[in-house]
Amino acid sequence: MAAKAEPIGPRNGHELAPLNTRSDGSERPHGVTIVLQGSRGSLQREIPGEDRAAWSGKLQFFLSIIGYSVGLGNIWRFPYLCQQNGGGAFLIPFLIMLVLEGIPLFLIEMAIGQKMRLGSLGVWNTIHPWLGGIGISSCIVTLFVALYYNVIITWVFFYLFNSIRLSADQLPWAHCPQDNSSAEIECNKASATVYYWYREALDASPSIEEPGVPRWWIVLYLLLAWTIVFFIVMKGIQSSGKVVYFTSLFPYAVLTIFFVRGITLPGSSDGILHMYKPKLEKLLDPTVWLDAATQVFYSFGLAFGSLIAFGSYNPPNNNCVRDVLLVSVCNALTAIYASVVIFSILGFKAYTMVEKCITKEVKVLAMHQIGGFTLNSTFDYYQEEYPNLNSTVTSSLNLTGCAMSRQLEEAAEGTGLAFIVFTQAILKLTPAPFWSIIFFLMLLSLGLGSQIGIMEGMLCTIFDIDFFKRMSKPVITGAVCTFCFLVGLIFTTGAGEYWLKMFDSFAGTIGLVVVALLEMVAVVYIYGHEKFSNDIYEMTGYRPGWYWQITWRYVGPFIVTCILLSSLVFMLINPPTYGAWNAAEGRVERTPYPNWVLGIAGAMILAGVLPIPLVLVLRRFQCLAFDVDIHQGSIRRIETTVSTKEMMSDQDVLSPENAPPAPAQLVAEAAGTKFTIGDFDGVDSSDERPSKRLPTSIARSRPKK
């Protein structure tokens, strides 16, 4: 007859979970206790002899985080937002949102990964089995982003290899075709750089409904991009950790080179002043604050699972609070520094465009003998006399007035900034091919650094699934990269850019924000902010104070909720559109997405969100069994029989490293012991075979051995 289980409470910082009683109240003949080491009530994964990957040093970890967090958005998104949202005044809401939203959520992901030593799926399953869907959703959304992010790297490769020329005149986007064909007419209506992007690089189709066949040159570059990504991430951080020394440091070297060259160019000061001249009245616009919060959210790469994965490779005593603060400051300073560099070059571009414009208008005014203008009139004379001209005369001659401010206000972001505006500015630098090569090498480094982090977050989740643990990492990585390449062929058609904009607008937005919101709720309100604070104190020696508690519990969830609601409202109020290339007019036209494309977009959003409630419902009604990984706690057999009860008193329940070795007969007996945890099944710790799930009814009815 089995001995009656005695209540066991927390002792010496250990949480003891007695497993002697089934969920129906009946007793088991063998009692088992899981000892979860850590602060009282906390969850921690301690695996004796665990062969989990680890960073080779602090520098490798720091550079990996920098390479992941500092991405293309710092180059082609942040400067645009500054320009459109009040210039230097935008830095105020950006820094406030950084402190109230970015840093607190950043620490949650880093610290929870370091504490539990698990990927995204394992972390949320450990906090509560009902939350396992958060890890699945994060993995699905990350897959969507990885699909199209590598296409940007593909385009960078295309421009990089086409930049290998001897002079600026030989760069393929320097001139329009000279063959008196429709291509020349189309190019003259647009510009050489715009024409090259839409017709030579992409061969853009008229609409998303007419994609055409995949463009073979883009297919080859896409294959190259995925091949390189595979070799970088095929062994996890053992392989990718070596590459980050280049992908993280090289962009800063290039930015510094551009900065030194940029500030010496004419017009650079006008560009920098135009960008950072504060317009404080913009701060009254709530959309400015929303843009700042959104930029902070995406610039850190939150909710991808990558930060959790990176944190899980750290030693338990790593000071994650210090790491988070250093990376946050570095991220913000990089965005500001990159903005100065970008607008110094754009200021020079605007200066050259104004010179070209003045030369043209002086010639027109001289031909019509207006205002004393001659063919030899200087730029200063034009700027003094043009405001005095009759507006009727200037409009009849189609004169616009050449002003720096007008050129600088023609803002661009994303691919338009990198592949059109900046390539045009590079043509004015000497030697242009050199500047083009290092610029696209910088974009390649930034893109690969972020793609490595994105893939690591997804693959870490896959590697933590027991089924895939039996398989080789390179095999799994190769299968994932092959799948992504095949699906990514849709981006190599003439409608590739249109599909990329759709993925960027839908697949990587709502799902990520939902995941981030539930991550904060799960850690702060389910796991418990006090437990989490104790975990951080144990790891770092620093106990989070009122700032962290307020931002974790109230401010952070409120801001992320505002981002989610505003994104949904914006999608409903403003019908989504994309920029389709009109070859006849030589310009981009805003075109609404067809309904079937919006249906695909909606399906992607649901695919990224539905796993969360689905897993919750299945686990709640026990339709989906949960195998408790025996290695999540140290298993000690106590109260095995009446005869051994006296041998193993409460004082014997210690941590595994301090516990005396078990008798040989107990070890032998434990090898075949089956136990159940509530309504979930598992196997004893001494059984190294894979766990096999049994229906609850079968588990309860097993005869005693």
Side-chain angles (χ1 to χ4, degrees):
M1 181 177 178
K4 185 176 180 180
E6 296 179 1
I8 303 176
R11 287 183 176 86
N12 301 324
H14 297 79
E15 187 71 17
L16 305 180
L19 303 176
N20 304 66
T21 305
R22 302 181 191 271
S23 59
D24 58 1
S26 61
E27 296 180 355
R28 294 190 183 89
H30 303 288
V32 182
T33 296
I34 292 181
V35 181
L36 297 173
Q37 290 183 292
S39 60
R40 183 168 300 180
S42 69
L43 294 173
Q44 186 178 11
R45 186 175 189 248
E46 288 290 343
I47 302 178
E50 178 191 17
D51 186 24
R52 185 169 183 83
W55 302 108
S56 62
K58 189 69 175 179
L59 181 61
Q60 187 186 79
F61 161 72
F62 189 75
L63 292 179
S64 296
I65 293 290
I66 291 295
Y68 169 67
S69 300
V70 178
L72 295 173
N74 296 78
I75 301 296
W76 66 30
R77 174 76 174 154
F78 184 79
Y80 169 81
L81 290 177
C82 278
Q83 184 183 14
Q84 295 297 299
N85 292 316
F90 181 72
L91 296 179
I92 297 175
F94 175 75
L95 294 177
I96 290 176
M97 291 301 171
L98 178 71
V99 172
L100 298 182
E101 171 207 4
I103 295 177
L105 186 51
F106 193 5
L107 180 58
I108 284 179
E109 294 199 2
M110 286 291 297
I112 203 70
Q114 179 176 315
K115 178 66 178 177
M116 297 189 182
R117 310 277 290 164
L118 290 166
S120 180
L121 180 61
V123 163
W124 308 119
N125 266 331
T126 304
I127 289 180
H128 198 291
W130 293 4
L131 300 177
I134 297 178
I136 299 175
S137 291
S138 177
C139 187
I140 292 175
V141 175
T142 303
L143 173 63
F144 288 147
V145 175
L147 285 173
Y148 74 82
Y149 204 89
N150 222 33
V151 178
I152 300 175
I153 298 175
T154 300
W155 295 339
V156 171
F157 270 125
F158 178 82
Y159 270 81
L160 175 62
F161 286 117
N162 281 280
S163 298
I164 304 176
R165 298 291 191 272
L166 296 177
S167 65
D169 290 338
Q170 294 180 349
L171 290 174
W173 58 84
H175 303 287
C176 286
Q178 303 293 328
D179 53 4
N180 295 320
S181 63
S182 58
E184 182 180 357
I185 297 174
E186 180 183 349
C187 182
N188 289 328
K189 288 182 178 179
S191 69
T193 51
V194 173
Y195 173 83
Y196 185 80
W197 167 243
Y198 283 103
R199 303 302 292 168
E200 299 293 336
L202 302 179
D203 191 16
S205 60
S207 71
I208 198 172
E209 297 183 280
E210 305 173 57
V213 298
R215 278 44 174 174
W216 63 267
W217 59 93
I218 304 181
V219 174
L220 293 179
Y221 282 115
L222 181 64
L223 179 61
L224 173 64
W226 276 115
T227 302
I228 291 176
V229 169
F230 164 72
F231 281 108
I232 292 176
V233 302
M234 66 177 183
K235 293 184 179 180
I237 61 172
Q238 285 90 346
S239 54
S240 65
K242 308 299 185 296
V243 182
V244 297
Y245 290 96
F246 173 78
T247 60
S248 300
L249 297 177
F250 182 75
Y252 289 98
V254 174
L255 282 176
T256 302
I257 294 172
F258 268 104
F259 174 76
V260 174
R261 182 69 182 104
I263 60 176
T264 62
L265 295 171
S268 61
S269 59
D270 293 317
I272 297 173
L273 289 175
H274 173 80
M275 177 183 173
Y276 282 112
K277 182 180 179 181
K279 304 178 183 65
L280 296 177
E281 65 276 5
K282 280 280 190 177
L283 297 180
L284 300 177
D285 186 353
T287 59
V288 173
W289 293 83
L290 183 62
D291 282 343
T294 306
Q295 174 64 17
V296 167
F297 180 86
Y298 290 111
S299 66
F300 277 108
L302 301 170
F304 282 96
S306 303
L307 298 175
I308 295 177
F310 285 156
S312 70
Y313 302 137
N314 276 325
N317 61 346
N318 176 65
N319 192 336
C320 53
V321 178
R322 180 187 58 199
D323 295 340
V324 166
L325 295 177
L326 287 176
V327 173
S328 301
V329 172
C330 185
N331 196 337
L333 293 179
T334 301
I336 297 172
Y337 182 42
S339 300
V340 173
V341 174
I342 294 296
F343 267 85
S344 66
I345 302 297
L346 294 184
F348 169 66
K349 170 185 168 288
Y351 177 83
T352 59
M353 296 299 292
V354 167
E355 280 191 331
K356 183 178 179 180
C357 174
I358 292 177
T359 301
K360 178 182 177 181
E361 295 201 353
V362 164
K363 183 177 179 180
V364 172
L365 292 169
M367 290 177 60
H368 291 81
Q369 299 179 352
I370 297 175
F373 281 93
T374 65
L375 294 177
N376 296 324
S377 296
T378 63
F379 293 167
D380 293 336
Y381 181 80
Y382 170 87
Q383 292 173 344
E384 292 176 0
E385 295 297 325
Y386 184 85
N388 300 326
L389 298 179
N390 190 295
S391 59
T392 305
V393 174
T394 57
S395 60
S396 64
L397 296 176
N398 294 322
L399 302 179
T400 59
C402 306
M404 284 285 291
S405 59
R406 181 174 301 170
Q407 292 289 337
L408 291 169
E409 285 170 0
E410 294 179 359
E413 63 169 329
T415 55
L417 174 63
F419 299 110
I420 297 177
V421 176
F422 217 81
T423 52
Q424 186 177 1
I426 285 174
L427 292 174
K428 306 297 181 182
L429 300 175
T430 304
F434 166 77
W435 296 104
S436 182
I437 289 172
I438 65 170
F439 173 71
F440 287 110
L441 277 176
M442 178 184 70
L443 293 186
L444 179 63
S445 301
L446 291 170
L448 284 176
S450 297
Q451 182 72 352
I452 290 170
I454 291 171
M455 293 294 293
E456 187 61 44
M458 178 172 58
L459 292 172
C460 181
T461 299
I462 296 175
F463 294 153
D464 279 344
I465 298 175
D466 286 338
F467 175 79
F468 294 107
K469 286 180 179 178
R470 308 185 187 100
M471 302 173 65
S472 170
K473 280 187 176 183
V475 172
I476 299 175
T477 305
V480 171
C481 291
T482 301
F483 172 79
C484 291
F485 168 74
L486 294 176
V487 176
L489 290 177
I490 191 176
F491 301 108
T492 66
T493 64
E497 191 200 23
Y498 312 151
W499 281 107
L500 186 140
K501 293 290 179 64
M502 191 274 283
F503 268 68
D504 187 44
S505 300
F506 295 97
T509 53
I510 302 298
L512 284 178
V513 180
V514 170
V515 169
L517 178 60
L518 292 180
E519 283 181 354
M520 301 186 81
V521 172
V523 172
V524 175
Y525 294 103
I526 298 177
Y527 183 66
H529 64 92
E530 292 183 358
K531 297 178 185 177
F532 186 57
S533 299
N534 289 336
D535 291 342
I536 293 178
Y537 177 71
E538 283 187 351
M539 293 187 293
T540 67
Y542 167 77
R543 185 174 298 280
W546 61 269
Y547 157 71
W548 298 102
Q549 304 300 330
I550 292 176
T551 53
W552 284 338
R553 297 169 65 183
Y554 309 112
V555 180
F558 174 76
I559 294 175
V560 176
T561 302
C562 290
I563 295 176
L564 176 61
L565 295 178
S566 62
S567 300
L568 292 172
V569 171
F570 181 81
M571 288 183 181
L572 295 175
I573 294 179
N574 302 299
T577 61
Y578 66 98
W581 176 249
N582 187 329
E585 299 294 332
R587 60 187 177 88
V588 175
E589 292 183 343
R590 302 309 303 177
T591 306
Y593 284 107
N595 292 331
W596 65 273
V597 174
L598 292 178
I600 295 176
M604 288 193 301
I605 293 176
L606 291 177
V609 175
L610 276 184
I612 299 172
L614 186 62
V615 170
L616 187 150
V617 171
L618 291 177
R619 292 264 170 86
R620 168 63 179 83
F621 295 100
Q622 301 180 14
C623 300
L624 181 65
F626 176 64
D627 285 330
V628 177
D629 185 354
I630 211 66
H631 297 300
Q632 289 181 12
S634 303
I635 304 303
R636 293 297 315 280
R637 295 188 52 79
I638 64 174
E639 303 177 334
T640 306
T641 63
V642 175
S643 59
T644 59
K645 182 176 186 300
E646 298 301 323
M647 296 170 56
M648 302 183 68
S649 64
D650 288 345
Q651 298 299 323
D652 293 325
V653 184
L654 302 172
S655 59
E657 48 276 298
N658 297 328
Q665 65 181 51
L666 292 181
V667 175
E669 178 185 350
T673 303
K674 177 78 178 179
F675 69 90
T676 58
I677 301 180
D679 291 328
F680 306 115
D681 303 328
V683 294
D684 203 327
S685 60
S686 58
D687 190 347
E688 295 180 355
R689 296 169 297 176
S691 61
K692 298 180 180 179
R693 281 177 287 199
L694 292 176
T696 306
S697 59
I698 297 177
R700 289 176 177 172
S701 61
R702 285 181 62 114
K704 293 191 295 182
K705 294 185 179 180

